[in-house]
Amino acid sequence: MLLEQLLKGGGAGAASSIYLYGPAASGKSFLMDALGAELARRSPGGTLQLSCKQFTQRYVGALRRREIDALRAFRLDLSHRRWILLDGFDELAQRPSTQGELSRLHDATQGTGTRIVMAGRSHPRDLEGLSPRLRSRLLGGVVVGLALPDGGVLDELLEKRAASLGVELPDDVRDEIRSRTSSIRGAVALVERWAAASAEVGESLGVSWLTELAPGAAATASEEVVKRAKDLVAEHYSVERELFDRPSKVRSLALPRRVAMYLVYRACAMTLGELAEAFGLRSHSSVSRAIQELRAMREVNPALEQT
């Protein structure tokens, strides 16, 4: 129903910004992807969907070229979009330049019918490192909180997705999929993989298909990157891989943990909050500090750079 409201609530008089927030696995990214797919189907080329990290990279890249035409081209592209979808809003903490550009974009879209949909883990009032100007813009728009889905809602979602693909999802397969990932996006991806595999063999596959066709607990690209980074770094530094799953004051673990988090940060578009959760940390600020420290170390330590 929320997706329908987003699609039907346009018009020049509607609020230009919509902000979705909720904890990990509450379905923010899944909803953003579904919205982006439907908008692309309805109006090809009218929607720009990026993570906030990608938005920052494009904006900063235009600035670094030191050509006024580069920044104009960046802004012109945004002005031609009917919808702008930005996920991972927590990534903008301590990025004043990008925040200023988003505030400018918000003001420029007022009354034009263009809508900016953003998603993050925290309510705008609770976002650390957010400028007062951008915070006020978010609070002046539509703010929607998403709760973690209960078992019944998630079951219904997975069953409907399977039905949309022309197959019926057995209860035991559904339960096994749910046991493998808490992410809505990851669970739906497994259902889609199961449906495709069932269609290929011409029959509904049982639970054993998970072991054969979807090995391991990681069901999303980001989860797989986290798993691989932890495994490789633990092997390289000869430390126990499980020690990366929780906070530790052991000094010998400080560098390996920073390296693992930095590799994940560079390899996929996870928010700092999601990274913190993946490494058992309480706050995204710990991840931010670790990444900044490792960046600084790379500049002065050739051995680390080689590693």
Side-chain angles (χ1 to χ4, degrees), residues 49-68:
Q49 182 174 5
L50 298 170
S51 68
C52 282
K53 181 178 179 180
Q54 292 169 328
F55 182 89
T56 297
Q57 290 171 342
R58 291 194 182 190
Y59 172 60
V60 173
L63 288 179
R64 285 178 176 172
R65 289 179 62 181
R66 298 182 180 179
E67 300 173 3
I68 191 64

Side-chain angles (χ1 to χ4, degrees), residues 72-214:
R72 284 176 178 170
F74 171 79
R75 290 174 172 172
L76 184 62
D77 178 49
L78 294 177
S79 69
H80 288 166
R81 306 289 183 161
R82 179 73 175 76
W83 290 78
I84 299 171
L85 312 183
L86 300 174
D87 199 1
F89 207 80
D90 312 78
E91 190 69 32
L92 292 182
Q94 311 305 328
R95 295 185 184 273
S97 181
T98 305
Q99 290 183 32
E101 180 63 14
L102 276 177
S103 296
R104 186 209 64 80
L105 175 63
H106 182 282
D107 294 344
T109 56
Q110 289 292 325
T112 66
T114 296
R115 309 193 84 189
I116 309 172
V117 184
M118 298 154 285
R121 296 186 65 184
S122 303
H123 191 283
R125 288 191 299 266
D126 303 323
L127 280 170
E128 297 182 11
L130 197 64
S131 70
R133 181 185 176 193
L134 183 55
R135 194 189 309 274
S136 69
R137 301 301 191 275
L138 297 181
L139 292 174
V142 177
V143 179
V144 180
L146 302 178
L148 290 171
D150 59 33
V153 171
L154 184 54
D155 287 349
E156 183 180 359
L157 175 63
L158 298 181
E159 290 165 0
K160 285 187 175 181
R161 181 55 182 150
S164 71
L165 297 171
V167 291
E168 183 177 347
L169 184 64
D171 292 346
D172 58 342
V173 174
R174 180 201 65 207
D175 293 343
E176 181 64 21
I177 288 174
R178 284 189 54 200
S179 72
R180 290 202 163 218
T181 177
S182 60
S183 162
I184 295 178
R185 176 190 280 177
V188 170
L190 283 178
V191 168
E192 293 171 344
R193 194 182 305 178
W194 168 83
S198 296
E200 184 68 24
V201 301
E203 63 179 8
S204 179
L205 295 174
V207 172
S208 61
W209 80 277
L210 281 162
T211 303
E212 297 179 33
L213 303 178

